[in-house]
């Protein structure tokens, strides 16, 4: 991705996190990114194209910070810990995670009314579920999870919980540490007792 496009998409995430999708105005985005509105239209064609590309950008950015969270436990042969860090990576009190999570929630809500965005969101969600299901399967292969669990079912339930906990945390109705504790409990409930 060209540097200018990345700059615009970073700014789009900030604007959506601050004002919501309905509050995303190309003129404000141009000012935020320090570019002309013409350049935004050149790269993204229209507002709908910009919103869809922002969704993909958010997904890629989330992969970056969840991968960093996983690095802390990779190589320990604890596949269950890798799964937990993959999920907890979405519940970090950093500006990047906050922006991403707020913008993701806004885009998910907007997709209810926008079929084109819904398709892109569905693909991003499926990708996230596949990654999580692979981590569940790895924990099963390592003997660290209930072998009868269906990885994709577990992944969909856990990722749905992450989204709900994130929304409650970001809206101030749940403390971050409580959200993280609830998520850890859900992983234990889904995977069964930790062997050892």
């Amino acid at each position: 991705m060209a540097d200018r496009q990345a700059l615009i998409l970073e700014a789009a995430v900030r604007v959506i996190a601050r004002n919501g999708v309905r509050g995303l105005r190309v003129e404000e985005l141009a000012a935020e990114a320090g570019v002309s509105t013409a350049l935004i239209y050149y790269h993204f064609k229209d507002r709908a194209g910009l919103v869809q590309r922002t969704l993909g950008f958010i997904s890629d950015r989330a992969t970056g910070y969840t991968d960093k969270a996983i690095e802390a436990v990779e190589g320990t042969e604890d596949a269950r810990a890798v799964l937990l860090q993959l999920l907890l990576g979405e519940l970090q009190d950093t500006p990047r995670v906050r922006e991403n999570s707020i913008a993701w929630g806004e885009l998910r809500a907007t997709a209810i009314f926008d079929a084109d965005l819904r398709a892109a969101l569905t693909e991003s969600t499926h990708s996230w579920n596949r990654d999580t299901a692979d981590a569940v399967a790895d924990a099963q292969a390592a003997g660290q999870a209930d072998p009868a669990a269906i990885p994709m079912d577990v992944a969909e339930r856990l990722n749905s919980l992450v989204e709900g906990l994130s929304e409650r945390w970001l809206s101030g109705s749940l403390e971050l540490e409580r959200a993280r504790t609830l998520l850890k409990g859900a992983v234990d409930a889904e995977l069964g007792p930790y062997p050892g």
Side-chain angles (χ1 to χ4, degrees):
M1 174 182 316
D3 289 343
R4 288 259 174 124
Q5 288 180 25
L7 178 76
I8 293 166
L9 291 169
E10 287 271 354
V13 174
R14 287 193 305 273
V15 172
I16 291 171
R18 188 171 57 237
N19 301 337
V21 174
R22 289 186 202 170
L24 176 63
R25 304 286 179 260
V26 175
E27 296 77 17
E28 182 182 352
L29 173 59
E32 180 84 19
V35 300
S36 69
T37 57
L39 186 63
I40 293 171
Y41 287 117
Y42 171 78
H43 285 298
F44 303 102
K45 306 288 184 237
D46 56 21
R47 187 178 179 282
L50 171 67
V51 170
Q52 286 186 14
R53 291 277 301 279
T54 301
L55 175 66
F57 183 78
I58 288 169
S59 294
D60 291 344
R61 206 162 82 153
T63 299
Y65 61 70
T66 55
D67 284 351
K68 285 184 182 176
I70 291 170
E71 287 174 9
V73 292
E74 266 189 338
T76 64
E77 299 183 24
D78 189 342
R80 191 168 171 144
V82 170
L83 169 64
L84 182 59
Q85 288 307 309
L86 173 69
L87 298 168
L88 289 172
E90 295 291 342
L91 296 171
Q92 302 177 66
D93 195 7
T94 66
R96 182 166 281 221
V97 173
R98 277 180 167 276
E99 280 178 2
N100 245 37
S101 295
I102 293 168
W104 177 266
E106 273 291 308
L107 290 163
R108 181 170 293 289
T110 301
I112 293 169
F113 307 102
D114 181 338
D116 292 333
L117 185 56
R118 192 176 315 134
L121 183 75
T122 297
E123 180 50 41
S124 289
T125 301
H126 285 309
S127 177
W128 184 21
N129 286 336
R130 281 191 301 273
D131 291 346
T132 305
D134 289 345
V136 171
D138 290 346
Q140 287 174 316
Q144 299 170 348
D146 179 356
I150 300 169
M152 187 55 80
D153 290 355
V154 171
E156 287 189 89
R157 285 190 295 267
L158 290 174
N159 287 338
S160 295
L161 178 64
V162 167
E163 284 185 336
L165 291 171
S166 179
E167 285 181 21
R168 287 184 179 201
W169 160 53
L170 292 166
S171 67
S173 61
L174 185 66
E175 295 293 323
L176 178 59
E177 283 313 308
R178 177 72 176 145
R180 293 173 68 89
T181 298
L182 290 170
L183 181 56
K184 290 173 187 175
V187 169
D188 289 342
E190 287 285 349
L191 300 186
Y194 196 85

